[in-house]
Amino acid sequence: MPEIEINPTTRIEGHHSTTIDVQDGQIASAKSHMEMFRGIENITVGRPPSDVPQITQMVCGVCFTSHRKAATLALEDAAARAGVFSGVPYNARVLQNVMEGMFLLWNHAIHLFTLAGPDYSDAVADTGYERLDPNGGAGYESALSNQRTLLQAFTEFGGRAPHPLTYAPGGVVAQPDAETMERVRERVESVDEWIGPTDAVPEVLEAVRDRRGPPSGASGLYDVLSVIVAAAGEDADEFGVGPGRFYANGMFYDEGGGLVFPGGVVSDGSLRDPSRTELLTSITEDTSHAWYTESSGGHPQRAPPPEPAPDKEGAYSWGKAPRFDGRAVETGPLARLIAADEDPFALRSRLGDDPRQSSTLNRLIARVQEFLLVRDMLGEWLDAVDVDGPLRAEWTDDFTGEGAGLWGASRGALSHWVRVEDGEIANYQIISPTLWNLGPRDEAGNPSILEYALEGMAVEDPRDPVNVMRTIRSFDPCLGCAVHVQAGGGERFVGDLEPPRPGTGAIDG
């Protein structure tokens, strides 16, 4: 059978395509093409540290909070190492929990209902789950309404969405009063009413399986469970199987100064929690098959801002290839829950064969599990915010140092790496979750997680490789980024522009 190019990948954030070579009904090889150049690291160089969160959050209009959060963590780490910063007040961390929690619910709802969910709807896949049908299904439409409610609540603190102005090095600059907190609480409670109580999971799961329709007061729960029951019915636990290597950064703060969702690395069946030093020294980026110079790779703290090489032989992606101890690792909600050794509500055990398996089904289930867990915590975080308490520590841009901000974004492990010299950014790097999952091969020819998950998969109809698309979307890819392009005559353009493909023009960061 011929080589098949799936271009573009639809229902994801950003521009991506996949090339698969099908032989005897199976995928013999796969290439993941990330089709956008990211030059936002270059834009930060020479600016004061306080500017960076505002700039880097514009990597994406969907992942904005995650990038702003990782940027502030990187700067705080660098300032603390330089001895000019003592830490963020816990009250500010709790308010950040609230904002991050609302953002995660909104983001996971987009994935479950708008991006991946239609793959299992009646309109797209003839599954009988009509509530999931895009542009008409009752579950789909109610999800859109509740996503809007979550963003309205978010803007009470952030001022706007996307690209809020709230997070800053040292904490947050918002100062909510009791009335603001009550407005947010009312909106969050309305979303709670849509979802329904999580202690009803077993009952609602049976209702979904029996096609009885949503019980009163749990329509949202019914719909998210419908997505994963439908996926199980499509045997999604049997395709998109990865190598079983996982990496997670922690996220959300607890009262003891730790993290609610701990980080960790799973490799060869064993879980370990590497020290921060070990973690930071184990991460590298390979540019062998990326349209960047070789010097653009290596350790993210040492590599310069990415320098494009659009005519590079053997390259096929604008994404680098991140590696942990030289190996590709999967990241995302499934990685977080496996690192935490949790199978909330036993959903992966109930619907699949192995709750620790990397599969299309388990990735979907993990997002549902995380969606429900965070919803249950959000009310507690709201109650813990002290409107009269401190929300920001003293901050100065005048220092020299380097640091890294590690955070668990909705799509997986996110890291920002910064070096500051005399109050100016000297170097900046970002490794996003989608780079870990959808990057290209490395120098040894080892595939990325997506490429590995696709290779060996059966393709019954090359004209409609539906399970290939389901697997790509199960990672919830987000490739959207700011593009900094220089035309041949030297004129510069900044904005959401797709760069020339290799050999068609000059690209300069």
Side-chain angles (χ1 to χ4, degrees):
M1 291 184 179
E3 182 178 80
I4 301 169
E5 182 179 8
I6 303 171
N7 186 9
T9 304
T10 55
R11 279 191 275 118
I12 66 166
E13 300 296 338
H15 305 302
H16 176 263
S17 65
T18 308
T19 302
I20 55 175
D21 181 16
V22 180
Q23 298 180 12
D24 299 324
Q26 286 190 323
I27 298 176
S29 66
K31 288 185 177 180
S32 172
H33 309 282
M34 303 179 78
E35 303 280 10
M36 298 178 71
F37 168 70
R38 188 181 68 214
I40 207 157
E41 290 102 330
N42 307 22
I43 300 172
T44 67
V45 175
R47 295 177 182 268
S50 293
D51 284 0
V52 169
Q54 180 66 15
I55 295 170
T56 59
Q57 74 173 353
M58 294 183 184
V59 164
C60 179
V62 174
C63 313
F64 51 90
T65 299
S66 304
H67 285 288
R68 188 169 187 121
K69 175 63 181 173
T72 59
L73 287 174
L75 294 171
E76 289 162 359
D77 183 45
R81 291 171 182 271
V84 296
F85 181 67
S86 58
V88 177
Y90 177 66
N91 194 45
R93 292 301 196 212
V94 175
L95 183 56
Q96 289 175 343
N97 277 0
V98 171
M99 296 184 67
E100 291 290 306
M102 291 189 296
F103 169 76
L104 183 140
L105 294 182
W106 170 75
N107 213 328
H108 281 357
I110 291 174
H111 178 75
L112 293 167
F113 288 96
T114 307
L115 304 179
D119 282 339
Y120 306 98
S121 68
D122 187 62
V124 173
D126 200 25
T127 60
Y129 289 93
E130 297 179 354
R131 290 180 60 86
L132 303 178
D133 289 351
N135 301 321
Y140 178 93
E141 291 189 344
S142 64
L144 290 179
S145 174
N146 281 277
Q147 289 168 36
R148 180 173 62 247
T149 299
L150 285 167
L151 280 189
Q152 288 170 336
F154 183 94
T155 58
E156 292 282 354
F157 304 127
R160 63 185 184 185
H163 310 316
L165 305 175
T166 308
Y167 296 179
V172 296
V173 295
Q175 188 67 54
D177 55 20
E179 290 76 14
T180 299
M181 299 302 297
E182 186 58 32
R183 288 195 300 271
V184 172
R185 189 174 287 105
E186 288 175 358
R187 290 190 168 109
V188 169
E189 287 174 353
S190 73
V191 174
D192 283 347
E193 292 173 4
W194 163 61
I195 297 172
T198 49
D199 58 13
V201 164
E203 171 195 348
V204 176
L205 187 60
E206 289 306 309
V208 171
R209 285 171 158 168
D210 296 341
R211 311 292 180 98
R212 295 199 303 265
S216 176
S219 63
L221 180 58
Y222 181 92
D223 293 325
V224 296
L225 294 181
S226 293
V227 174
I228 57 177
V229 169
E234 296 293 304
D235 298 323
D237 58 334
E238 298 179 4
F239 57 83
V241 177
R245 297 189 297 268
F246 301 96
Y247 158 49
N249 289 334
M251 66 189 304
F252 300 116
Y253 302 96
D254 62 25
E255 293 182 8
L259 295 168
V260 176
F261 291 143
V265 175
V266 177
S267 183
D268 301 322
S270 62
L271 168 65
R272 64 190 178 99
D273 183 12
S275 68
R276 182 177 173 88
T277 299
E278 180 187 359
L279 183 63
L280 295 181
T281 56
S282 297
I283 296 173
T284 56
E285 290 186 295
D286 189 300
T287 60
S288 301
H289 294 278
W291 287 308
Y292 299 105
T293 61
E294 293 303 318
S295 64
S296 298
H299 190 276
Q301 197 70 271
R302 302 288 169 256
E307 181 181 352
D311 296 315
K312 181 177 174 181
E313 184 177 357
Y316 60 89
S317 178
W318 282 113
K320 300 179 184 180
R323 294 294 184 263
F324 187 89
D325 281 342
R327 307 175 80 185
V329 289
E330 178 175 336
T331 191
L334 179 61
R336 273 194 290 268
L337 292 178
I338 289 177
D341 196 24
E342 291 188 8
D343 181 14
F345 319 107
L347 286 176
R348 300 199 304 278
S349 300
R350 292 172 188 262
L351 296 174
D353 293 331
D354 180 359
R356 293 173 64 87
Q357 182 188 46
S358 164
S359 69
T360 297
L361 176 62
N362 277 349
R363 291 182 202 106
L364 283 170
I365 295 174
R367 278 189 170 78
V368 171
Q369 292 174 313
E370 201 168 72
F371 179 82
L372 298 177
L373 285 176
V374 172
R375 191 290 302 266
D376 283 349
M377 300 174 190
L378 187 52
E380 297 177 8
W381 294 331
L382 271 166
D383 291 340
V385 175
D386 180 3
V387 295
D388 298 318
L391 288 170
R392 194 182 184 199
E394 187 175 342
W395 177 262
T396 177
D397 280 343
D398 187 17
F399 67 93
T400 294
E402 62 182 33
L406 309 180
W407 190 245
S410 301
R411 290 168 172 83
L414 172 66
S415 56
H416 282 220
W417 308 72
V418 66
R419 188 171 79 251
V420 181
E421 294 182 1
D422 298 326
E424 290 186 355
I425 302 299
N427 197 30
Y428 207 90
Q429 292 288 338
I430 298 171
I431 304 180
S432 67
T434 298
L435 277 178
W436 286 104
N437 292 330
L438 269 68
R441 280 167 161 70
D442 58 26
E443 185 178 18
N446 298 314
S448 66
I449 293 298
L450 172 63
E451 292 170 337
Y452 183 102
L454 293 179
E455 292 177 357
M457 183 186 299
V459 176
E460 296 180 2
D461 183 359
R463 297 167 299 181
D464 185 22
V466 60
N467 288 340
V468 172
M469 302 302 290
R470 285 169 168 167
T471 296
I472 297 171
R473 294 190 189 105
S474 72
F475 292 100
D476 197 12
C478 187
L479 298 100
C481 50
V483 177
H484 194 185
V485 179
Q486 178 175 308
E491 184 179 359
R492 289 180 179 270
F493 303 88
V494 179
D496 251 355
L497 302 176
E498 185 174 353
R501 294 297 297 267
T504 64
I507 297 179
D508 177 29

